[in-house]
Amino acid sequence: MSNKKLRRVGLSQELCDRLSRQQIVTCRDFLCLSPLELMKMTGLSYGGVHELLCLVSRACAPQMKTAYGIKTQRSADLSPGFLTTTLSALDEALHGGVACGSLTEITGPPGCGKTQFCIMMSVLATLPTNMGGLEGAVVYIDTESAFSAERLIEIAKARFPRYFNSEEKLLLTSTKVYVYRELTCEEVLQRIESLEEEIISKRVKIVIIDSIASVVRKEFDTQLLGNMKERNKFLAKGASLLKYLAEEFSIPVILTNQITTHLSRALASQADLVSPAGDLSLSEAGSALDLLQDV
Protein backbone atom coordinates (compact mmCIF):
# COMPACT_ATOMS: atom_id res chain seq x y z
CA MET A 1 0.00 0.00 0.00
CA SER A 2 2.93 2.36 0.57
CA ASN A 3 3.59 2.24 -3.18
CA LYS A 4 0.28 3.95 -3.90
CA LYS A 5 0.72 7.15 -5.89
CA LEU A 6 0.02 10.42 -4.08
CA ARG A 7 -2.31 11.43 -6.91
CA ARG A 8 -4.70 8.71 -5.73
CA VAL A 9 -4.94 9.65 -2.05
CA GLY A 10 -6.76 12.98 -2.27
CA LEU A 11 -3.94 15.52 -2.58
CA SER A 12 -4.49 18.46 -4.92
CA GLN A 13 -3.05 18.35 -8.43
CA GLU A 14 -0.93 21.43 -7.75
CA LEU A 15 0.57 19.89 -4.62
CA CYS A 16 1.24 16.57 -6.37
CA ASP A 17 3.02 18.38 -9.20
CA ARG A 18 5.15 20.33 -6.73
CA LEU A 19 6.13 17.15 -4.87
CA SER A 20 6.74 15.27 -8.11
CA ARG A 21 9.37 17.83 -9.09
CA GLN A 22 11.16 16.81 -5.90
CA GLN A 23 10.88 13.09 -6.83
CA ILE A 24 8.14 12.56 -4.21
CA VAL A 25 5.49 10.50 -6.00
CA THR A 26 4.39 7.68 -3.67
CA CYS A 27 3.05 7.47 -0.14
CA ARG A 28 6.34 5.91 0.92
CA ASP A 29 8.33 8.83 -0.50
CA PHE A 30 6.07 11.26 1.35
CA LEU A 31 6.10 9.49 4.70
CA CYS A 32 9.89 9.13 4.71
CA LEU A 33 10.23 12.91 4.99
CA SER A 34 10.20 14.85 8.23
CA PRO A 35 7.53 17.51 8.92
CA LEU A 36 10.15 20.24 8.50
CA GLU A 37 11.19 18.89 5.09
CA LEU A 38 7.55 18.75 4.01
CA MET A 39 6.95 22.29 5.24
CA LYS A 40 9.84 23.49 3.07
CA MET A 41 8.64 21.56 0.00
CA THR A 42 4.94 22.38 0.26
CA GLY A 43 5.03 25.86 1.78
CA LEU A 44 2.41 24.79 4.33
CA SER A 45 2.32 25.40 8.06
CA TYR A 46 3.14 22.69 10.57
CA GLY A 47 -0.57 22.09 11.11
CA GLY A 48 -1.20 21.78 7.37
CA VAL A 49 1.65 19.29 6.99
CA HIS A 50 0.34 17.30 9.97
CA GLU A 51 -3.08 16.99 8.28
CA LEU A 52 -1.41 15.80 5.08
CA LEU A 53 0.61 13.21 6.99
CA CYS A 54 -2.57 11.86 8.58
CA LEU A 55 -4.33 11.78 5.19
CA VAL A 56 -1.51 9.92 3.45
CA SER A 57 -1.03 7.53 6.39
CA ARG A 58 -4.71 6.56 6.40
CA ALA A 59 -4.68 6.08 2.63
CA CYS A 60 -1.80 3.61 2.59
CA ALA A 61 -2.19 1.86 5.94
CA PRO A 62 -3.91 -1.54 5.60
CA GLN A 63 -7.17 -1.73 7.47
CA MET A 64 -8.03 -4.58 9.81
CA LYS A 65 -10.41 -7.08 8.22
CA THR A 66 -12.07 -10.22 9.51
CA ALA A 67 -11.94 -13.45 7.56
CA TYR A 68 -15.69 -13.20 7.04
CA GLY A 69 -15.33 -9.65 5.71
CA ILE A 70 -12.70 -10.72 3.20
CA LYS A 71 -14.89 -13.61 2.03
CA THR A 72 -17.95 -11.38 1.74
CA GLN A 73 -16.02 -8.72 -0.19
CA ARG A 74 -14.70 -11.25 -2.67
CA SER A 75 -18.16 -12.72 -3.15
CA ALA A 76 -19.60 -9.27 -3.84
CA ASP A 77 -16.76 -8.23 -6.16
CA LEU A 78 -18.06 -7.87 -9.70
CA SER A 79 -14.67 -8.53 -11.29
CA PRO A 80 -13.96 -12.10 -12.42
CA GLY A 81 -11.99 -14.27 -10.04
CA PHE A 82 -10.06 -16.02 -12.79
CA LEU A 83 -8.90 -15.56 -16.35
CA THR A 84 -9.54 -18.85 -18.09
CA THR A 85 -6.70 -20.38 -20.09
CA THR A 86 -9.17 -22.17 -22.43
CA LEU A 87 -7.18 -25.36 -21.74
CA SER A 88 -9.76 -27.45 -19.91
CA ALA A 89 -7.35 -29.70 -18.02
CA LEU A 90 -5.24 -26.74 -16.89
CA ASP A 91 -8.28 -24.67 -15.90
CA GLU A 92 -9.54 -27.60 -13.84
CA ALA A 93 -6.17 -27.95 -12.12
CA LEU A 94 -6.15 -24.21 -11.38
CA HIS A 95 -9.80 -24.26 -10.20
CA GLY A 96 -10.91 -21.87 -12.91
CA GLY A 97 -7.82 -20.40 -14.54
CA VAL A 98 -5.18 -17.82 -13.68
CA ALA A 99 -6.27 -16.05 -10.50
CA CYS A 100 -6.98 -12.32 -10.50
CA GLY A 101 -5.51 -10.37 -7.61
CA SER A 102 -2.40 -12.54 -7.21
CA LEU A 103 0.91 -13.52 -8.79
CA THR A 104 1.12 -16.66 -10.90
CA GLU A 105 4.50 -18.11 -11.80
CA ILE A 106 4.99 -20.29 -14.88
CA THR A 107 8.16 -22.33 -14.56
CA GLY A 108 9.93 -24.82 -16.78
CA PRO A 109 13.00 -25.46 -18.93
CA PRO A 110 13.77 -23.31 -21.99
CA GLY A 111 11.65 -24.07 -25.04
CA CYS A 112 8.74 -25.70 -23.19
CA GLY A 113 6.15 -23.09 -24.24
CA LYS A 114 6.17 -20.43 -21.50
CA THR A 115 6.31 -17.50 -23.92
CA GLN A 116 3.64 -19.05 -26.14
CA PHE A 117 1.42 -19.38 -23.08
CA CYS A 118 1.97 -15.72 -22.17
CA ILE A 119 1.13 -14.59 -25.70
CA MET A 120 -2.04 -16.68 -25.59
CA MET A 121 -3.02 -15.13 -22.24
CA SER A 122 -2.47 -11.70 -23.79
CA VAL A 123 -5.03 -12.53 -26.47
CA LEU A 124 -7.49 -13.90 -23.91
CA ALA A 125 -7.29 -10.79 -21.73
CA THR A 126 -8.42 -8.58 -24.62
CA LEU A 127 -11.50 -10.69 -25.39
CA PRO A 128 -15.01 -9.59 -24.31
CA THR A 129 -16.15 -10.79 -20.91
CA ASN A 130 -18.90 -12.91 -22.47
CA MET A 131 -16.13 -14.97 -24.09
CA GLY A 132 -14.26 -15.42 -20.80
CA GLY A 133 -11.87 -12.51 -21.38
CA LEU A 134 -11.23 -9.38 -19.34
CA GLU A 135 -11.98 -6.88 -22.14
CA GLY A 136 -8.92 -4.79 -21.37
CA ALA A 137 -5.34 -4.00 -22.27
CA VAL A 138 -2.14 -5.93 -21.55
CA VAL A 139 1.25 -4.83 -20.26
CA TYR A 140 3.87 -7.30 -21.49
CA ILE A 141 7.41 -6.82 -20.13
CA ASP A 142 9.74 -8.75 -22.41
CA THR A 143 13.27 -9.26 -21.03
CA GLU A 144 14.48 -11.69 -23.70
CA SER A 145 13.12 -10.06 -26.89
CA ALA A 146 11.03 -13.20 -27.32
CA PHE A 147 7.63 -11.58 -27.91
CA SER A 148 6.30 -12.01 -31.45
CA ALA A 149 3.47 -9.87 -32.82
CA GLU A 150 3.09 -12.35 -35.69
CA ARG A 151 2.62 -15.19 -33.21
CA LEU A 152 0.01 -13.13 -31.35
CA ILE A 153 -2.03 -12.79 -34.55
CA GLU A 154 -1.59 -16.48 -35.38
CA ILE A 155 -2.82 -17.60 -31.96
CA ALA A 156 -5.79 -15.22 -32.07
CA LYS A 157 -6.89 -16.43 -35.51
CA ALA A 158 -6.30 -20.12 -34.74
CA ARG A 159 -8.04 -20.27 -31.34
CA PHE A 160 -10.91 -17.86 -32.02
CA PRO A 161 -11.56 -17.89 -35.79
CA ARG A 162 -15.22 -16.86 -35.44
CA TYR A 163 -14.42 -13.81 -33.35
CA PHE A 164 -11.28 -12.71 -35.20
CA ASN A 165 -12.97 -12.82 -38.59
CA SER A 166 -11.73 -9.44 -39.78
CA GLU A 167 -8.53 -7.45 -39.94
CA GLU A 168 -10.15 -4.72 -37.82
CA LYS A 169 -10.60 -7.03 -34.83
CA LEU A 170 -7.06 -8.35 -35.13
CA LEU A 171 -5.75 -4.78 -35.32
CA LEU A 172 -7.80 -3.72 -32.30
CA THR A 173 -6.44 -6.61 -30.22
CA SER A 174 -2.84 -5.93 -31.22
CA THR A 175 -3.17 -2.25 -30.23
CA LYS A 176 -4.24 -3.29 -26.73
CA VAL A 177 -1.00 -5.18 -26.03
CA TYR A 178 1.71 -2.81 -24.77
CA VAL A 179 5.12 -4.47 -25.08
CA TYR A 180 8.12 -3.12 -23.16
CA ARG A 181 11.58 -4.57 -23.75
CA GLU A 182 13.48 -4.12 -20.51
CA LEU A 183 16.86 -5.83 -20.45
CA THR A 184 18.24 -5.02 -16.98
CA CYS A 185 17.00 -5.40 -13.42
CA GLU A 186 16.93 -1.62 -12.98
CA GLU A 187 14.83 -1.15 -16.12
CA VAL A 188 12.39 -3.87 -15.04
CA LEU A 189 12.01 -2.34 -11.59
CA GLN A 190 11.50 1.17 -12.98
CA ARG A 191 8.84 -0.14 -15.35
CA ILE A 192 6.99 -1.92 -12.56
CA GLU A 193 7.12 1.22 -10.41
CA SER A 194 5.51 3.25 -13.22
CA LEU A 195 2.65 0.84 -13.92
CA GLU A 196 0.02 2.13 -11.50
CA GLU A 197 -1.08 5.15 -13.55
CA GLU A 198 -0.76 3.16 -16.78
CA ILE A 199 -3.07 0.46 -15.47
CA ILE A 200 -5.68 3.12 -14.75
CA SER A 201 -5.31 5.20 -17.93
CA LYS A 202 -5.08 2.29 -20.38
CA ARG A 203 -7.51 -0.05 -18.58
CA VAL A 204 -4.84 -2.73 -18.22
CA LYS A 205 -6.30 -6.05 -17.08
CA ILE A 206 -3.18 -8.22 -16.94
CA VAL A 207 0.56 -7.74 -16.41
CA ILE A 208 3.03 -10.28 -17.81
CA ILE A 209 6.80 -10.44 -17.21
CA ASP A 210 8.64 -12.87 -19.48
CA SER A 211 10.97 -13.67 -17.88
CA ILE A 212 12.05 -12.52 -14.44
CA ALA A 213 14.88 -15.04 -14.33
CA SER A 214 16.58 -13.73 -17.46
CA VAL A 215 17.66 -10.35 -16.08
CA VAL A 216 18.48 -11.78 -12.64
CA ARG A 217 20.82 -14.47 -13.94
CA LYS A 218 22.62 -12.01 -16.21
CA GLU A 219 23.39 -9.57 -13.39
CA PHE A 220 23.79 -11.66 -10.25
CA ASP A 221 26.45 -14.36 -10.05
CA THR A 222 25.45 -16.25 -6.92
CA GLN A 223 29.03 -17.50 -6.53
CA LEU A 224 30.19 -13.97 -5.69
CA LEU A 225 29.99 -12.79 -2.10
CA GLY A 226 27.14 -10.34 -1.57
CA ASN A 227 25.38 -11.02 -4.86
CA MET A 228 22.79 -13.31 -3.29
CA LYS A 229 21.74 -10.55 -0.90
CA GLU A 230 21.33 -8.01 -3.71
CA ARG A 231 19.48 -10.52 -5.87
CA ASN A 232 17.04 -11.33 -3.08
CA LYS A 233 16.56 -7.62 -2.41
CA PHE A 234 15.62 -7.02 -6.06
CA LEU A 235 13.25 -9.99 -6.14
CA ALA A 236 11.58 -9.01 -2.86
CA LYS A 237 11.01 -5.42 -3.98
CA GLY A 238 9.70 -6.50 -7.38
CA ALA A 239 7.38 -9.08 -5.83
CA SER A 240 6.05 -6.52 -3.33
CA LEU A 241 5.25 -4.01 -6.08
CA LEU A 242 3.61 -6.63 -8.30
CA LYS A 243 1.57 -8.04 -5.41
CA TYR A 244 0.33 -4.53 -4.62
CA LEU A 245 -0.72 -3.96 -8.25
CA ALA A 246 -2.46 -7.34 -8.47
CA GLU A 247 -4.43 -6.81 -5.27
CA GLU A 248 -5.14 -3.09 -5.74
CA PHE A 249 -6.61 -3.54 -9.23
CA SER A 250 -7.76 -7.17 -8.95
CA ILE A 251 -5.79 -8.24 -12.01
CA PRO A 252 -3.69 -11.33 -12.71
CA VAL A 253 0.09 -10.91 -12.82
CA ILE A 254 2.01 -13.65 -14.65
CA LEU A 255 5.75 -14.21 -14.40
CA THR A 256 7.77 -16.80 -16.25
CA ASN A 257 10.82 -18.50 -14.85
CA GLN A 258 13.41 -20.99 -16.06
CA ILE A 259 14.39 -24.18 -14.31
CA THR A 260 17.74 -25.79 -14.98
CA THR A 261 18.78 -29.02 -13.31
CA HIS A 262 22.23 -29.88 -12.01
CA LEU A 263 23.51 -33.27 -10.88
CA SER A 264 25.47 -33.10 -7.67
CA ARG A 265 28.25 -35.50 -6.76
CA ALA A 266 25.64 -37.53 -4.95
CA LEU A 267 23.71 -37.71 -8.26
CA ALA A 268 20.82 -35.80 -6.73
CA SER A 269 18.83 -33.48 -8.99
CA GLN A 270 18.63 -29.94 -7.73
CA ALA A 271 16.49 -27.15 -9.21
CA ASP A 272 18.09 -23.76 -9.82
CA LEU A 273 15.05 -21.51 -9.58
CA VAL A 274 14.84 -17.73 -9.39
CA SER A 275 11.46 -17.13 -7.80
CA PRO A 276 9.81 -13.82 -6.88
CA ALA A 277 6.38 -15.30 -6.39
CA GLY A 278 6.75 -18.72 -4.81
CA ASP A 279 3.24 -19.67 -5.93
CA LEU A 280 4.13 -22.89 -7.74
CA SER A 281 6.28 -25.77 -6.64
CA LEU A 282 8.58 -27.53 -9.10
CA SER A 283 6.28 -30.54 -9.41
CA GLU A 284 3.19 -28.37 -9.95
CA ALA A 285 4.91 -26.24 -12.60
CA GLY A 286 6.12 -29.29 -14.46
CA SER A 287 2.70 -30.92 -14.63
CA ALA A 288 1.01 -27.66 -15.69
CA LEU A 289 3.49 -26.95 -18.45
CA ASP A 290 3.04 -30.39 -19.91
CA LEU A 291 -0.43 -29.22 -20.91
CA LEU A 292 0.91 -26.25 -22.87
CA GLN A 293 2.71 -28.15 -25.59
CA ASP A 294 -0.34 -27.92 -27.85
CA VAL A 295 -0.49 -24.12 -27.69
Side-chain angles (χ1 to χ4, degrees):
M1 297 294 285
S2 63
N3 296 307
K4 180 178 288 187
K5 295 290 191 292
L6 288 172
R7 298 180 186 276
R8 299 185 58 228
V9 303
L11 273 62
S12 69
Q13 183 66 44
E14 179 184 356
L15 182 56
C16 288
D17 291 340
R18 184 182 303 177
L19 291 169
S20 180
R21 289 193 289 270
Q22 302 292 327
Q23 307 301 315
I24 309 301
V25 295
T26 68
C27 292
R28 176 183 295 173
D29 298 334
F30 188 88
L31 295 174
C32 284
L33 298 173
S34 69
L36 291 178
E37 289 173 317
L38 289 172
M39 288 172 64
K40 182 178 179 180
M41 288 183 179
T42 62
L44 297 175
S45 65
Y46 180 83
V49 166
H50 178 72
E51 290 181 4
L52 287 181
L53 285 169
C54 291
L55 175 65
V56 174
S57 297
R58 286 194 298 268
C60 70
Q63 301 297 315
M64 185 279 296
K65 296 180 181 179
T66 65
Y68 177 76
I70 295 173
K71 182 178 183 301
T72 303
Q73 181 180 351
R74 289 182 176 176
S75 299
D77 192 352
L78 297 178
S79 62
F82 297 92
L83 172 60
T84 176
T85 68
T86 69
L87 303 171
S88 57
L90 183 56
D91 284 334
E92 183 178 354
L94 296 176
H95 304 288
V98 175
C100 296
S102 65
L103 311 187
T104 298
E105 187 174 11
I106 306 298
T107 62
C112 70
K114 300 186 296 297
T115 296
Q116 302 302 311
F117 177 78
C118 289
I119 293 175
M120 183 182 72
M121 296 307 292
S122 298
V123 173
L124 294 171
T126 66
L127 292 176
T129 54
N130 60 11
M131 293 181 64
L134 299 176
E135 204 166 350
V138 179
V139 165
Y140 196 113
I141 300 175
D142 180 13
T143 68
E144 297 183 307
S145 300
F147 180 87
S148 169
E150 291 77 14
R151 185 58 177 150
L152 178 82
I153 299 300
E154 289 174 359
I155 291 176
K157 293 168 69 173
R159 297 196 69 84
F160 304 97
R162 293 185 179 180
Y163 180 75
F164 292 105
N165 54 10
S166 67
E167 290 298 322
E168 289 77 12
K169 286 186 176 180
L170 288 169
L171 178 61
L172 180 60
T173 290
S174 63
T175 58
K176 290 182 178 180
V177 181
Y178 299 92
V179 181
Y180 299 98
R181 287 191 167 89
E182 313 293 5
L183 304 180
T184 68
C185 289
E186 183 179 359
E187 289 175 353
V188 170
L189 203 56
Q190 288 178 349
R191 178 60 59 190
I192 294 173
E193 290 174 335
S194 70
L195 285 183
E196 184 172 1
E197 292 183 356
E198 189 166 0
I199 288 173
I200 297 172
S201 63
K202 296 179 178 177
R203 296 190 66 252
V204 172
K205 296 297 184 180
I206 188 171
V207 174
I208 297 172
I209 302 181
D210 182 25
S211 77
I212 196 68
S214 175
V215 290
V216 171
R217 288 201 175 100
K218 283 189 297 185
E219 296 188 30
F220 297 105
D221 183 351
T222 56
Q223 301 301 317
L224 297 178
L225 186 65
N227 267 14
M228 182 63 76
K229 180 180 178 180
E230 290 301 315
R231 183 183 83 153
N232 291 342
K233 181 179 178 181
F234 163 75
L235 291 172
K237 185 173 183 179
S240 176
L241 290 168
L242 291 170
K243 187 172 185 291
Y244 162 73
L245 294 173
E247 293 179 347
E248 179 73 6
F249 299 103
S250 190
I251 61 174
V253 174
I254 296 177
L255 308 98
T256 68
N257 204 340
Q258 293 179 6
I259 293 177
T260 57
T261 56
H262 304 282
L263 291 178
S264 67
R265 293 180 180 179
L267 301 181
S269 178
Q270 178 181 5
D272 177 17
L273 177 62
V274 177
S275 177
D279 288 340
L280 300 176
S281 69
L282 176 59
S283 59
E284 289 171 336
S287 60
L289 288 167
D290 288 340
L291 302 172
L292 304 181
Q293 301 302 319
D294 295 329
V295 178

